[in-house]
Amino acid sequence: MAAPMEVEPFQLSATLIGHEDDVRSVGALGEHVVTGSRDRSVRVWRPLEAGGAHAYECASALLGHTHFVGAVASTPDGALASGSNDKHVIVWDVDGGRPAHVLEGHTDVVSCVRAGKASGLLFSASWDKTARVWKGAECVRTLTGHAAAVWSVLPLDDADDGALTASADHTIKRWSAGECAHTYSGHTD
């Protein structure tokens, strides 16, 4: 039997204070930390020089969602997207502090947003049992086939719009060119 690995204990390095309700998502945008909250805002936190300590200040509070923000993601070109219980995905003009595009089409809570690194496409998952693929402000594919809410989507960068989706129906589906290429099953909850 191998000897246990010695590791340094984790220590709190920074606390970001500013949301008025619980934080539901966290991501990165370059050196910035991005958070989404039940207070309906997306906040972008700028790192500060603090004598070697980690410290952040809120650089901007992005307002535009009408319900909880549960998902945030940055894109390879430096954009920021968020998904909400208001059924929308917003692509943000971070410098201007306003929505650049409001992506409509989901009919229930948006549970996940992710960007493809190679393709530049944006992917969203929803409780409406679908995932969507967005190019700019246009939905170019709707991935339909799950029997329950889609919790997560993961772009596969070996294909332009390939992705994996994970659902409350206990399956994972692999998608290629908008079609379900394979369904993985075995989870019971």
Coordinates of all heavy atoms in Angstrom, one line a residue, residues 3-70:
A3 N 2.2 5.0 0.6 CA 2.1 5.9 1.8 C 1.2 7.1 1.4 O 1.1 7.5 0.3 CB 3.5 6.5 2.1
P4 N 0.4 7.6 2.4 CA -0.5 8.7 2.1 C 0.4 9.9 1.7 O 1.5 10.2 2.1 CB -1.2 9.0 3.4 CG -0.6 8.1 4.5 CD 0.4 7.2 3.8
M5 N -0.2 10.6 0.7 CA 0.4 11.8 0.2 C 0.3 13.0 1.1 O -0.8 13.2 1.6 CB -0.2 12.1 -1.2 CG 0.5 13.2 -1.9 SD -0.1 13.3 -3.6 CE -1.5 14.4 -3.4
E6 N 1.3 13.7 1.4 CA 1.3 14.8 2.3 C 0.9 16.1 1.4 O 1.5 16.3 0.4 CB 2.6 15.1 3.0 CG 2.8 14.0 4.1 CD 4.0 14.4 4.9 OE1 4.2 15.6 5.2 OE2 4.7 13.4 5.3
V7 N -0.1 16.8 1.9 CA -0.5 18.0 1.2 C -0.7 19.1 2.2 O -1.0 18.9 3.3 CB -1.8 17.8 0.4 CG1 -1.6 16.8 -0.7 CG2 -2.9 17.4 1.3
E8 N -0.4 20.3 1.7 CA -0.7 21.5 2.5 C -2.2 21.7 2.6 O -2.9 21.5 1.7 CB 0.0 22.7 1.9 CG 1.5 22.7 1.8 CD 2.1 22.8 3.2 OE1 1.6 23.6 4.0 OE2 3.1 22.1 3.5
P9 N -2.6 22.1 3.8 CA -4.1 22.3 3.9 C -4.5 23.6 3.2 O -3.7 24.5 3.1 CB -4.3 22.5 5.4 CG -2.9 22.8 6.0 CD -1.9 22.2 5.1
F10 N -5.7 23.6 2.6 CA -6.1 24.8 2.0 C -6.4 25.9 3.0 O -6.9 25.5 4.1 CB -7.4 24.5 1.2 CG -7.2 23.7 -0.1 CD1 -7.4 22.4 -0.2 CD2 -6.7 24.4 -1.2 CE1 -7.2 21.7 -1.3 CE2 -6.4 23.7 -2.4 CZ -6.7 22.3 -2.4
Q11 N -6.2 27.1 2.6 CA -6.5 28.2 3.5 C -7.3 29.2 2.7 O -7.0 29.4 1.5 CB -5.2 28.8 4.1 CG -4.4 27.9 5.0 CD -3.2 28.6 5.5 OE1 -3.0 29.8 5.4 NE2 -2.3 27.8 6.0
L12 N -8.2 29.9 3.4 CA -8.9 31.0 2.8 C -8.0 32.1 2.3 O -7.2 32.5 3.1 CB -10.0 31.6 3.7 CG -10.8 32.7 3.2 CD1 -11.7 32.3 2.1 CD2 -11.6 33.3 4.3
S13 N -8.1 32.4 1.0 CA -7.2 33.5 0.5 C -7.9 34.8 0.2 O -7.2 35.8 0.1 CB -6.4 33.0 -0.7 OG -7.3 32.7 -1.8
A14 N -9.2 34.7 0.0 CA -9.9 36.0 -0.3 C -11.4 35.8 -0.1 O -11.9 34.6 -0.3 CB -9.7 36.4 -1.7
T15 N -12.1 36.8 0.3 CA -13.5 36.8 0.4 C -14.0 38.0 -0.5 O -13.6 39.1 -0.3 CB -14.0 37.0 1.9 OG1 -13.5 36.0 2.7 CG2 -15.5 37.0 1.9
L16 N -15.0 37.6 -1.3 CA -15.5 38.6 -2.2 C -16.9 39.0 -1.7 O -17.8 38.2 -1.7 CB -15.6 38.1 -3.7 CG -14.3 37.9 -4.4 CD1 -13.4 37.0 -3.8 CD2 -14.6 37.6 -5.9
I17 N -17.1 40.2 -1.2 CA -18.3 40.7 -0.6 C -19.0 41.7 -1.5 O -18.4 42.7 -1.9 CB -18.0 41.3 0.8 CG1 -17.4 40.2 1.7 CG2 -19.3 41.9 1.4 CD1 -16.9 40.8 3.0
G18 N -20.3 41.5 -1.8 CA -21.0 42.4 -2.6 C -22.4 41.9 -3.0 O -23.3 42.7 -3.2
H19 N -22.5 40.6 -3.2 CA -23.8 40.1 -3.6 C -24.8 40.3 -2.4 O -24.4 40.2 -1.3 CB -23.8 38.7 -4.0 CG -23.3 38.5 -5.4 ND1 -24.0 38.8 -6.6 CD2 -22.1 37.9 -5.9 CE1 -23.3 38.5 -7.6 NE2 -22.1 38.0 -7.3
E20 N -26.1 40.5 -2.8 CA -27.1 40.6 -1.7 C -27.8 39.4 -1.5 O -28.8 39.3 -0.6 CB -28.0 41.7 -2.2 CG -27.4 43.1 -2.3 CD -28.2 44.1 -3.0 OE1 -29.4 43.9 -3.2 OE2 -27.6 45.2 -3.4
D21 N -27.5 38.3 -2.1 CA -28.1 37.0 -1.9 C -27.0 35.9 -2.2 O -25.9 36.3 -2.6 CB -29.3 36.8 -2.8 CG -30.5 36.0 -2.1 OD1 -30.2 35.1 -1.3 OD2 -31.6 36.3 -2.5
D22 N -27.4 34.6 -2.1 CA -26.4 33.6 -2.2 C -25.8 33.5 -3.7 O -26.5 33.9 -4.6 CB -26.9 32.2 -1.8 CG -28.1 31.7 -2.5 OD1 -29.1 32.4 -2.5 OD2 -28.0 30.6 -3.1
V23 N -24.6 33.1 -3.8 CA -23.9 33.0 -5.1 C -24.1 31.6 -5.6 O -23.9 30.6 -4.9 CB -22.4 33.3 -4.9 CG1 -21.6 33.1 -6.2 CG2 -22.2 34.7 -4.3
R24 N -24.6 31.6 -6.9 CA -24.9 30.3 -7.5 C -23.9 29.8 -8.5 O -23.9 28.6 -8.9 CB -26.3 30.4 -8.2 CG -27.4 30.9 -7.3 CD -27.7 30.0 -6.2 NE -27.9 28.6 -6.7 CZ -29.1 27.9 -6.6 NH1 -30.1 28.5 -6.1 NH2 -29.1 26.7 -7.0
S25 N -23.0 30.7 -9.0 CA -22.0 30.2 -10.0 C -20.8 31.1 -9.9 O -20.8 32.3 -9.4 CB -22.6 30.3 -11.4 OG -23.2 31.6 -11.6
V26 N -19.7 30.5 -10.3 CA -18.4 31.2 -10.3 C -17.6 30.8 -11.6 O -17.7 29.7 -12.0 CB -17.6 31.0 -9.0 CG1 -17.2 29.5 -8.9 CG2 -16.4 31.9 -8.9
G27 N -16.9 31.8 -12.1 CA -16.1 31.5 -13.3 C -14.9 32.5 -13.4 O -14.7 33.3 -12.4
A28 N -14.2 32.4 -14.5 CA -13.1 33.3 -14.7 C -13.2 34.0 -16.0 O -13.7 33.4 -17.0 CB -11.8 32.5 -14.6
L29 N -12.7 35.2 -16.0 CA -12.7 36.0 -17.3 C -11.3 36.6 -17.2 O -11.1 37.7 -16.6 CB -13.8 37.1 -17.3 CG -13.9 37.9 -18.5 CD1 -14.2 37.1 -19.8 CD2 -14.9 39.0 -18.3
G30 N -10.3 36.0 -17.9 CA -8.9 36.4 -17.7 C -8.5 36.3 -16.3 O -8.7 35.3 -15.6
E31 N -8.0 37.4 -15.8 CA -7.6 37.5 -14.3 C -8.7 37.8 -13.4 O -8.6 37.7 -12.2 CB -6.5 38.5 -14.1 CG -5.2 38.2 -14.8 CD -4.2 39.3 -14.5 OE1 -4.5 40.4 -14.1 OE2 -3.0 39.0 -14.7
H32 N -9.9 38.1 -14.0 CA -11.0 38.4 -13.2 C -11.8 37.2 -12.7 O -11.9 36.2 -13.4 CB -12.0 39.4 -13.9 CG -11.4 40.7 -14.3 ND1 -10.4 40.9 -15.3 CD2 -11.5 41.9 -13.7 CE1 -10.1 42.1 -15.3 NE2 -10.7 42.8 -14.4
V33 N -12.5 37.3 -11.6 CA -13.4 36.3 -11.1 C -14.8 36.8 -11.4 O -15.1 38.0 -11.3 CB -13.3 36.1 -9.6 CG1 -14.4 35.2 -9.1 CG2 -11.9 35.6 -9.2
V34 N -15.7 35.9 -11.9 CA -17.0 36.3 -12.3 C -18.0 35.5 -11.4 O -17.8 34.2 -11.2 CB -17.3 36.0 -13.8 CG1 -18.7 36.4 -14.1 CG2 -16.3 36.8 -14.6
T35 N -19.0 36.1 -10.9 CA -20.0 35.4 -10.0 C -21.4 35.7 -10.5 O -21.7 36.8 -11.0 CB -19.8 35.8 -8.6 OG1 -19.9 37.2 -8.4 CG2 -18.5 35.2 -8.0
G36 N -22.3 34.7 -10.3 CA -23.7 34.9 -10.6 C -24.5 34.6 -9.3 O -24.1 33.7 -8.6
S37 N -25.6 35.3 -9.1 CA -26.2 35.2 -7.8 C -27.8 35.2 -7.9 O -28.3 35.6 -8.9 CB -25.8 36.4 -6.9 OG -26.6 36.5 -5.7
R38 N -28.4 34.8 -6.8 CA -29.8 34.8 -6.7 C -30.3 36.3 -6.6 O -31.5 36.6 -6.7 CB -30.3 34.0 -5.5 CG -30.2 32.5 -5.7 CD -30.5 31.7 -4.5 NE -31.7 32.1 -3.8 CZ -32.7 31.3 -3.6 NH1 -32.7 30.1 -4.1 NH2 -33.8 31.7 -3.0
D39 N -29.4 37.2 -6.4 CA -29.8 38.7 -6.4 C -30.0 39.2 -7.8 O -30.2 40.4 -8.0 CB -28.8 39.5 -5.6 CG -27.4 39.6 -6.2 OD1 -27.2 39.2 -7.4 OD2 -26.5 40.2 -5.5
R40 N -29.9 38.3 -8.8 CA -30.1 38.6 -10.2 C -29.0 39.3 -10.9 O -29.2 39.9 -12.0 CB -31.4 39.4 -10.4 CG -32.6 38.7 -9.8 CD -33.9 39.6 -9.9 NE -35.0 38.9 -9.2 CZ -36.2 39.4 -9.1 NH1 -36.5 40.6 -9.6 NH2 -37.1 38.7 -8.5
S41 N -27.9 39.4 -10.3 CA -26.7 40.1 -10.9 C -25.6 39.2 -11.2 O -25.5 38.1 -10.7 CB -26.2 41.2 -9.9 OG -25.5 40.7 -8.8
V42 N -24.8 39.6 -12.1 CA -23.5 39.0 -12.5 C -22.5 40.1 -12.0 O -22.6 41.3 -12.4 CB -23.4 38.7 -14.0 CG1 -22.0 38.3 -14.3 CG2 -24.4 37.8 -14.4
R43 N -21.5 39.6 -11.3 CA -20.4 40.6 -10.8 C -19.1 40.1 -11.4 O -18.8 38.9 -11.4 CB -20.4 40.7 -9.3 CG -21.7 41.4 -8.8 CD -21.6 41.6 -7.3 NE -22.9 42.1 -6.8 CZ -23.1 43.4 -6.5 NH1 -22.1 44.3 -6.5 NH2 -24.2 43.8 -6.1
V44 N -18.3 41.1 -11.8 CA -16.9 40.9 -12.3 C -16.0 41.5 -11.2 O -16.1 42.7 -10.9 CB -16.7 41.6 -13.6 CG1 -15.3 41.3 -14.1 CG2 -17.8 41.0 -14.6
W45 N -15.1 40.7 -10.7 CA -14.2 41.1 -9.6 C -12.8 41.2 -10.1 O -12.2 40.3 -10.7 CB -14.2 40.0 -8.5 CG -15.6 39.7 -8.0 CD1 -16.5 38.9 -8.5 CD2 -16.3 40.4 -6.9 NE1 -17.7 38.9 -7.8 CE2 -17.6 39.8 -6.8 CE3 -15.9 41.3 -6.0 CZ2 -18.4 40.2 -5.8 CZ3 -16.7 41.7 -5.0 CH2 -18.0 41.2 -4.9
R46 N -12.2 42.4 -9.9 CA -10.9 42.7 -10.4 C -9.9 42.4 -9.3 O -10.1 42.8 -8.1 CB -10.8 44.2 -10.8 CG -9.4 44.7 -11.1 CD -9.4 46.2 -11.5 NE -10.3 47.0 -10.8 CZ -11.3 47.7 -11.4 NH1 -11.5 47.7 -12.7 NH2 -12.1 48.5 -10.7
P47 N -8.7 41.7 -9.6 CA -7.7 41.5 -8.6 C -7.0 42.8 -8.2 O -6.8 43.6 -9.1 CB -6.8 40.5 -9.2 CG -7.0 40.7 -10.7 CD -8.4 41.1 -10.9
L48 N -6.6 42.9 -7.0 CA -5.9 44.1 -6.5 C -4.5 43.7 -6.0 O -4.3 42.5 -5.6 CB -6.6 44.7 -5.2 CG -8.0 45.2 -5.4 CD1 -8.7 45.6 -4.1 CD2 -8.0 46.4 -6.4
E49 N -3.6 44.6 -6.1 CA -2.3 44.4 -5.5 C -2.4 44.6 -4.1 O -2.8 45.7 -3.6 CB -1.3 45.3 -6.2 CG -1.0 45.1 -7.6 CD -0.3 43.8 -7.9 OE1 0.5 43.4 -7.1 OE2 -0.7 43.2 -8.9
A50 N -2.1 43.6 -3.3 CA -2.3 43.7 -1.8 C -1.1 43.1 -1.1 O -1.2 42.3 -0.2 CB -3.6 43.1 -1.4
G51 N 0.1 43.5 -1.5 CA 1.3 43.0 -0.8 C 1.4 41.5 -0.7 O 1.8 41.0 0.3
G52 N 1.1 40.9 -1.8 CA 1.2 39.4 -1.9 C 0.0 38.7 -1.5 O -0.2 37.5 -1.7
A53 N -1.0 39.4 -0.8 CA -2.2 38.7 -0.5 C -3.2 38.8 -1.6 O -3.1 39.6 -2.5 CB -2.8 39.4 0.7
H54 N -4.2 37.9 -1.7 CA -5.2 37.9 -2.7 C -6.3 38.8 -2.2 O -6.9 38.6 -1.2 CB -5.7 36.5 -2.9 CG -4.7 35.5 -3.5 ND1 -4.3 35.5 -4.8 CD2 -4.0 34.6 -2.8 CE1 -3.4 34.6 -4.9 NE2 -3.2 34.0 -3.8
A55 N -6.7 39.8 -3.1 CA -7.8 40.7 -2.7 C -8.5 41.0 -4.1 O -7.8 41.1 -5.1 CB -7.3 41.9 -2.0
Y56 N -9.7 41.3 -4.0 CA -10.5 41.6 -5.2 C -11.5 42.7 -4.8 O -12.0 42.8 -3.7 CB -11.3 40.4 -5.7 CG -10.5 39.3 -6.2 CD1 -9.9 38.3 -5.3 CD2 -10.2 39.1 -7.6 CE1 -9.1 37.3 -5.8 CE2 -9.5 38.1 -8.1 CZ -8.9 37.2 -7.2 OH -8.1 36.2 -7.7
E57 N -11.8 43.5 -5.8 CA -12.9 44.5 -5.7 C -13.9 44.3 -6.9 O -13.5 43.8 -7.9 CB -12.4 45.9 -5.7 CG -11.8 46.4 -7.1 CD -11.4 47.8 -7.0 OE1 -11.5 48.5 -6.0 OE2 -10.8 48.3 -8.1
C58 N -15.1 44.7 -6.6 CA -16.1 44.5 -7.7 C -15.9 45.6 -8.7 O -16.0 46.8 -8.4 CB -17.5 44.6 -7.1 SG -18.8 44.4 -8.3
A59 N -15.5 45.2 -9.9 CA -15.3 46.1 -11.0 C -16.6 46.5 -11.7 O -16.7 47.6 -12.2 CB -14.3 45.5 -12.0
S60 N -17.5 45.6 -11.7 CA -18.8 45.9 -12.3 C -19.9 44.9 -11.8 O -19.6 43.7 -11.6 CB -18.8 45.9 -13.8 OG -18.3 44.7 -14.4
A61 N -21.1 45.4 -11.7 CA -22.3 44.6 -11.4 C -23.1 44.7 -12.7 O -23.6 45.8 -13.0 CB -23.0 45.2 -10.2
L62 N -23.3 43.6 -13.3 CA -24.1 43.5 -14.6 C -25.5 43.1 -14.3 O -25.8 42.1 -13.7 CB -23.4 42.5 -15.5 CG -21.9 42.7 -15.8 CD1 -21.3 41.6 -16.6 CD2 -21.7 44.1 -16.5
L63 N -26.4 44.0 -14.6 CA -27.8 43.9 -14.4 C -28.6 43.7 -15.7 O -28.4 44.5 -16.6 CB -28.4 45.0 -13.6 CG -27.6 45.3 -12.3 CD1 -28.2 46.6 -11.6 CD2 -27.8 44.2 -11.3
G64 N -29.5 42.7 -15.7 CA -30.2 42.5 -17.0 C -31.1 41.3 -16.8 O -32.1 41.2 -17.5
H65 N -30.8 40.4 -15.9 CA -31.6 39.2 -15.7 C -32.8 39.6 -14.8 O -32.6 40.5 -13.9 CB -30.8 38.1 -15.1 CG -30.0 37.3 -16.0 ND1 -30.5 36.5 -17.1 CD2 -28.6 37.2 -16.2 CE1 -29.5 36.0 -17.8 NE2 -28.3 36.4 -17.2
T66 N -33.9 38.9 -14.9 CA -35.1 39.2 -14.1 C -35.3 38.1 -13.1 O -36.3 38.2 -12.4 CB -36.3 39.4 -15.0 OG1 -36.5 38.1 -15.7 CG2 -36.2 40.5 -15.9
H67 N -34.4 37.2 -13.0 CA -34.5 36.1 -12.0 C -33.1 35.6 -11.6 O -32.1 36.2 -12.1 CB -35.3 34.9 -12.5 CG -36.2 34.2 -11.5 ND1 -35.6 33.5 -10.5 CD2 -37.5 34.1 -11.4 CE1 -36.6 33.0 -9.8 NE2 -37.8 33.4 -10.3
F68 N -33.0 34.6 -10.8 CA -31.7 34.1 -10.3 C -30.7 33.9 -11.4 O -31.1 33.3 -12.5 CB -31.8 32.8 -9.5 CG -32.8 32.8 -8.4 CD1 -33.5 31.7 -8.0 CD2 -33.1 34.0 -7.7 CE1 -34.4 31.6 -7.0 CE2 -34.1 34.0 -6.7 CZ -34.7 32.8 -6.3
V69 N -29.4 34.2 -11.2 CA -28.4 33.8 -12.2 C -27.7 32.6 -11.7 O -27.1 32.6 -10.6 CB -27.4 35.0 -12.4 CG1 -26.3 34.6 -13.3 CG2 -28.1 36.2 -12.8
G70 N -27.8 31.5 -12.4 CA -27.2 30.2 -11.9 C -26.1 29.7 -12.7 O -25.5 28.7 -12.4

